[in-house]
Amino acid sequence: PPGGRLDLELRALLGPHYVLEKTGEIESWPGAPAQRWHMDTPHLFSTPHHLPPHSINVFIALCDLDELNGPTEFQLATHIKANLAAPKRFARAFAPRGSAVIYDTRVIHRGGENASDKPRMLLYFTFSRPWYHDHLNP
């Protein structure tokens, strides 16, 4: 809702006129391997300077994200172009059911291997600046 915590975070990251670009569900079934490392959207523009985010993803965990079901893994600080060649640092998004995980779509990440006997399910919401539209992942 307007003025809620998520709205305030998105306004701080994307400006006051952000738009909900897309939504969906991600399902990782028992035995699914880890995804390949990827960015959801690339760094924009040919500039050596760090730019603010043009798009933000919000995951809502529909189950507990734990060691067995392979939560999303992130390569930290890769939303900053200068860090792409730096030594890699990693974090995993362990979270209880109902939690939100918010990240810049330029961060390199992947879904982990699901070694559990239950599906790992997430809802995702992609918010963007009004001038940006993701043509790579419609």
Side-chain angles (χ1 to χ4, degrees), residues 38-45 51-55 78-79 81 84 104-108 131-137:
H38 65 281
M39 293 179 183
D40 290 333
T41 62
H43 290 271
L44 301 181
F45 313 116
L51 299 174
H54 53 277
S55 196
T78 52
H79 65 294
K81 198 184 296 188
L84 293 173
D104 187 316
T105 59
R106 298 172 292 182
V107 171
I108 297 173
W131 52 262
Y132 179 76
H133 179 69
D134 182 3
H135 294 281
L136 298 174
N137 304 293

Side-chain angles (χ1 to χ4, degrees), residues 10-55:
L10 291 170
R11 286 173 182 270
L13 293 166
L14 298 172
H17 304 294
Y18 67 85
V19 296
L20 174 60
E21 186 171 354
K22 59 186 146 193
T23 64
E25 179 187 15
I26 297 172
E27 298 177 356
S28 174
W29 295 96
Q35 291 179 319
R36 64 173 176 75
W37 290 103
H38 65 281
M39 293 179 183
D40 290 333
T41 62
H43 290 271
L44 301 181
F45 313 116
S46 295
T47 177
H49 306 289
H50 177 64
L51 299 174
H54 53 277
S55 196

Side-chain angles (χ1 to χ4, degrees), residues 8-129:
L8 294 174
E9 295 293 335
L10 291 170
R11 286 173 182 270
L13 293 166
L14 298 172
H17 304 294
Y18 67 85
V19 296
L20 174 60
E21 186 171 354
K22 59 186 146 193
T23 64
E25 179 187 15
I26 297 172
E27 298 177 356
S28 174
W29 295 96
Q35 291 179 319
R36 64 173 176 75
W37 290 103
H38 65 281
M39 293 179 183
D40 290 333
T41 62
H43 290 271
L44 301 181
F45 313 116
S46 295
T47 177
H49 306 289
H50 177 64
L51 299 174
H54 53 277
S55 196
I56 297 290
N57 273 340
V58 178
F59 285 159
I60 305 296
L62 297 180
C63 61
D64 291 340
L65 303 178
D66 58 33
E67 185 73 37
L68 279 179
N69 65 14
T72 303
E73 301 173 289
F74 296 97
Q75 290 184 21
L76 299 177
T78 52
H79 65 294
I80 300 171
K81 198 184 296 188
N83 290 341
L84 293 173
K88 293 178 176 52
R89 296 180 301 126
F90 301 92
R92 297 171 77 190
F94 296 112
R97 179 181 171 185
S99 295
V101 176
I102 301 171
Y103 68 95
D104 187 316
T105 59
R106 298 172 292 182
V107 171
I108 297 173
H109 65 283
R110 69 179 181 177
E113 174 187 5
N114 187 347
S116 76
D117 60 355
K118 296 182 176 119
R120 180 184 72 242
M121 299 174 67
L122 307 167
L123 294 178
Y124 73 87
F125 303 86
T126 303
F127 298 91
S128 299
R129 293 181 184 269

